[in-house]
Amino acid sequence: MQRYFINQNADINQRFCINDEGDIHHISNVMRLQIDDYIIITFADHYVYKCKIVNITSSKVTVTLEERINIDTELPQNITICSGLIKADKYEWMLQKATELGASAFIAVGMKRSVVKLTANKIAKKIERWQKIIKEAAEQSYRLVIPNINYQASLNEVFQQVAAYDYILIAYEDAAKQGEVSNFKKVIKQFQHNDRILVIFGPEGGLAEEELALFNEHAYNVGLGPRILRAETAPLYVLSAISYEKDLLS
Amino acid sequence: MQRYFINQNADINQRFCINDEGDIHHISNVMRLQIDDYIIITFADHYVYKCKIVNITSSKVTVTLEERINIDTELPQNITICSGLIKADKYEWMLQKATELGASAFIAVGMKRSVVKLTANKIAKKIERWQKIIKEAAEQSYRLVIPNINYQASLNEVFQQVAAYDYILIAYEDAAKQGEVSNFKKVIKQFQHNDRILVIFGPEGGLAEEELALFNEHAYNVGLGPRILRAETAPLYVLSAISYEKDLLS
């Protein structure tokens, strides 16, 4: 059944409206739903309801809440994926997959070795495009939140926010070559419910020395196994590993 | 440093030749390497050497072995990723990422709910294309083996091979909806070194009832966390989780 988001808290006694053009188009023209058909709606308070369509116009789809669905699809930790800018198609794939895999937020950073640069006038359009990709992926994978994405011109800006995180991990290529195989697992096992984790990934060229040094004792340098992972793959390894460790029971 | 494969066993006292056209082109024209430059070569016996180029022609690159490199980049288990046919670009992307993440082999299967079908005359070309993608990904991620790929017309053919595997896992969508959260972790923890594992993934439409029933008590039905993962994402979750469990130390 199709899922949509409504940015209000659920109330079983009220009618609600979907106003988002893209969603209305999807409901009317793609799924061809009609009055009395059902859709699933996730509300701002993370409640999820099976809803009945009671009216459809070109600007609004009105629903009543019929039955609560009890499923928690969020990771127990908030994971922010902070990546150096990489080629557009690879980055968009990664956003989609990382959203399926439970990322809470994304920060795209113009890192020293990024081959791709973003000029100021292009940022807004990119953010809009990325946010759309993330929203679609969040809906399809039954996420309770739509991850946010923003852009920072360098890691210095990200560093200003260190206090906002409980843990900062840097995934760097040399760890694989040097055989570092324990930091990642040790630190993941320490994560508590609702901890805010920032994970930093370099662009295709890797992180520069000064970027690694910037976070210093604020961050753990972690190896992600003995294989070299591409910039767009490493975040998926991290999210899968955290889900395996925290979502699944032994 | 660039890596290539030579399908012979290493011998520090011998010269070796790279004959593969694609590799020669890459060495001469892409990397613009010359006599006395170094490349890394992985041999059939999994030995890895830093090698010096002693001659380059249009049909052959000759090297001597200079220094052994001691790194094991393979997963401790042999993981075969068995997927229903899905859209071409998604499948190719998955092959590349799954190779980075350590898959040993791939089986592409025409499953009941596959939207994509492969006619007999197209299979050979597809296999060739897929094998090329896998080879490039294996080289870039420092794999010691190039995973193999083959095609089967249905899961019945795959079922004939059950005895070849120590464990068979079926990753199916309903596990997420039903809240199954422990089979995957429990069975992974049992894996021994060199065990052969087959993991079966459905196409976009999921596995059909009769396909699930086919393997019956030969297979474990495993949930991969509470989020719905797309057909091309689920194999990456599995490989990342196995690497996390088996490659990294607590």
Side-chain angles (χ1 to χ4, degrees):
Chain A
M1 200 177 296
Q2 284 300 308
R3 282 198 164 217
Y4 304 90
F5 283 91
I6 286 181
N7 196 14
Q8 296 169 268
N9 292 340
D11 182 342
I12 198 154
N13 298 313
Q14 287 215 36
R15 298 188 160 199
F16 286 87
C17 296
I18 291 175
N19 302 308
D20 180 280
E21 273 182 29
D23 288 342
I24 293 168
H25 168 73
H26 195 259
I27 289 166
S28 305
N29 305 328
V30 176
M31 300 306 300
R32 310 241 180 126
L33 298 175
Q34 300 175 350
I35 289 174
D36 285 350
D37 281 334
Y38 289 91
I39 55 178
I40 295 174
I41 297 190
T42 303
F43 290 83
D45 48 12
H46 296 193
Y47 284 113
V48 181
Y49 277 86
K50 181 174 161 188
C51 300
K52 184 160 72 171
I53 295 174
V54 296
N55 198 27
I56 300 186
T57 71
S58 56
S59 59
K60 191 161 78 176
V61 173
T62 312
V63 301
T64 55
L65 277 54
E66 298 300 315
E67 185 190 325
R68 176 142 167 242
I69 295 175
N70 207 358
I71 185 166
D72 186 359
T73 52
E74 294 305 307
L75 279 171
Q77 287 78 35
N78 292 286
I79 313 294
T80 296
I81 301 294
C82 174
S83 304
L85 287 176
I86 59 176
K87 288 178 77 174
D89 57 344
K90 295 182 204 297
Y91 190 61
E92 290 174 7
W93 272 115
M94 188 281 285
L95 289 178
Q96 189 193 63
K97 294 334 173 182
T99 301
E100 285 174 54
L101 289 165
S104 295
F106 298 94
I107 308 175
V109 181
M111 293 191 189
K112 294 219 148 66
R113 294 189 190 158
S114 291
V115 167
V116 171
K117 306 288 179 198
L118 259 194
T119 49
N121 60 332
K122 292 203 173 142
I123 293 170
K125 264 201 154 345
K126 276 288 186 182
I127 296 276
E128 195 185 327
R129 179 180 168 87
W130 292 336
Q131 198 64 74
K132 188 154 170 274
I133 288 166
I134 291 167
K135 177 174 182 285
E136 283 171 8
E139 282 168 352
Q140 182 170 6
S141 49
Y142 290 11
R143 293 289 302 273
L144 300 182
V145 297
I146 302 180
N148 184 54
I149 183 165
N150 71 83
Y151 169 80
Q152 301 293 346
S154 83
L155 270 177
N156 292 316
E157 277 85 342
V158 177
F159 181 69
Q160 301 308 318
Q161 304 298 320
V162 282
Y165 300 98
D166 297 293
Y167 294 89
I168 300 174
L169 275 50
I170 301 181
Y172 75 119
E173 201 182 83
D174 283 355
K177 294 175 187 166
Q178 290 162 19
E180 195 292 297
V181 290
S182 62
N183 284 352
F184 186 50
K185 200 179 243 183
K186 281 186 183 141
V187 80
I188 283 184
K189 284 185 189 261
Q190 295 174 40
F191 289 172
Q192 304 280 338
H193 207 77
N194 288 334
D195 272 348
R196 302 180 53 83
I197 323 292
L198 176 71
V199 194
I200 300 172
F201 303 87
E204 289 101 335
L207 290 161
E209 283 305 317
E210 56 268 42
E211 289 174 322
L212 278 167
L214 178 63
F215 286 84
N216 231 337
E217 66 273 11
H218 292 274
Y220 296 83
N221 285 352
V222 297
L224 305 179
R227 285 164 297 285
I228 304 296
L229 302 178
R230 285 177 216 224
E232 68 274 17
T233 313
L236 311 188
Y237 181 103
V238 167
L239 290 162
S240 299
I242 292 172
S243 168
Y244 173 81
E245 179 68 53
K246 300 295 189 186
D247 281 326
L248 304 184
L249 303 172
S250 299
Chain B
M1 202 178 295
Q2 283 301 309
R3 284 201 164 213
Y4 304 91
F5 284 90
I6 286 182
N7 196 14
Q8 294 170 268
N9 291 339
D11 182 341
I12 198 154
N13 297 313
Q14 287 216 36
R15 298 186 162 203
F16 286 86
C17 297
I18 290 174
N19 302 309
D20 179 280
E21 272 182 30
D23 289 342
I24 294 169
H25 166 74
H26 195 259
I27 289 167
S28 305
N29 305 330
V30 176
M31 300 306 300
R32 310 237 179 127
L33 299 173
Q34 300 175 348
I35 289 173
D36 285 350
D37 283 333
Y38 288 91
I39 56 178
I40 295 174
I41 296 192
T42 303
F43 291 84
D45 47 12
H46 296 193
Y47 285 112
V48 182
Y49 277 86
K50 180 175 160 187
C51 299
K52 184 159 74 170
I53 295 174
V54 297
N55 199 28
I56 301 186
T57 71
S58 55
S59 59
K60 190 161 80 176
V61 172
T62 311
V63 302
T64 55
L65 277 53
E66 300 299 314
E67 185 190 323
R68 179 147 165 237
I69 294 174
N70 207 359
I71 185 167
D72 186 0
T73 53
E74 293 305 308
L75 279 171
Q77 286 77 36
N78 292 287
I79 313 294
T80 296
I81 300 295
C82 176
S83 306
L85 286 177
I86 59 177
K87 286 178 78 174
D89 58 343
K90 296 181 202 298
Y91 189 62
E92 290 173 9
W93 180 88
M94 188 281 285
L95 289 177
Q96 188 193 64
K97 298 319 173 198
T99 300
E100 285 174 53
L101 289 165
S104 295
F106 298 94
I107 308 175
V109 181
M111 293 191 188
K112 295 221 150 66
R113 294 189 189 156
S114 291
V115 167
V116 171
K117 307 287 181 200
L118 258 194
T119 48
N121 61 332
K122 292 200 173 144
I123 294 171
K125 264 201 155 342
K126 276 289 186 182
I127 296 276
E128 194 185 328
R129 180 181 168 85
W130 292 336
Q131 197 63 73
K132 189 156 172 276
I133 289 166
I134 291 167
K135 179 174 181 284
E136 283 170 11
E139 282 166 353
Q140 184 171 4
S141 50
Y142 291 10
R143 293 289 302 273
L144 300 182
V145 296
I146 303 180
N148 184 54
I149 183 166
N150 72 83
Y151 169 81
Q152 301 292 347
S154 83
L155 271 177
N156 292 316
E157 278 85 339
V158 177
F159 181 70
Q160 301 308 317
Q161 305 297 319
V162 284
Y165 300 98
D166 297 294
Y167 294 90
I168 299 175
L169 276 49
I170 300 181
Y172 74 117
E173 202 183 82
D174 283 356
K177 293 176 189 165
Q178 289 162 21
E180 196 292 297
V181 289
S182 62
N183 284 353
F184 186 49
K185 200 179 244 183
K186 281 186 183 144
V187 81
I188 283 185
K189 285 184 188 257
Q190 295 173 40
F191 289 172
Q192 304 280 338
H193 207 77
N194 288 332
D195 273 348
R196 300 180 56 83
I197 322 292
L198 176 71
V199 194
I200 300 173
F201 303 87
E204 290 101 336
L207 289 160
E209 283 305 318
E210 55 268 42
E211 289 174 322
L212 279 167
L214 177 62
F215 287 83
N216 230 336
E217 66 274 11
H218 292 274
Y220 296 84
N221 285 354
V222 297
L224 306 178
R227 287 163 297 283
I228 304 296
L229 303 178
R230 286 178 216 223
E232 68 274 18
T233 313
L236 312 189
Y237 181 103
V238 168
L239 290 161
S240 299
I242 292 172
S243 168
Y244 173 81
E245 179 68 52
K246 299 297 190 186
D247 281 327
L248 305 184
L249 304 173
S250 299

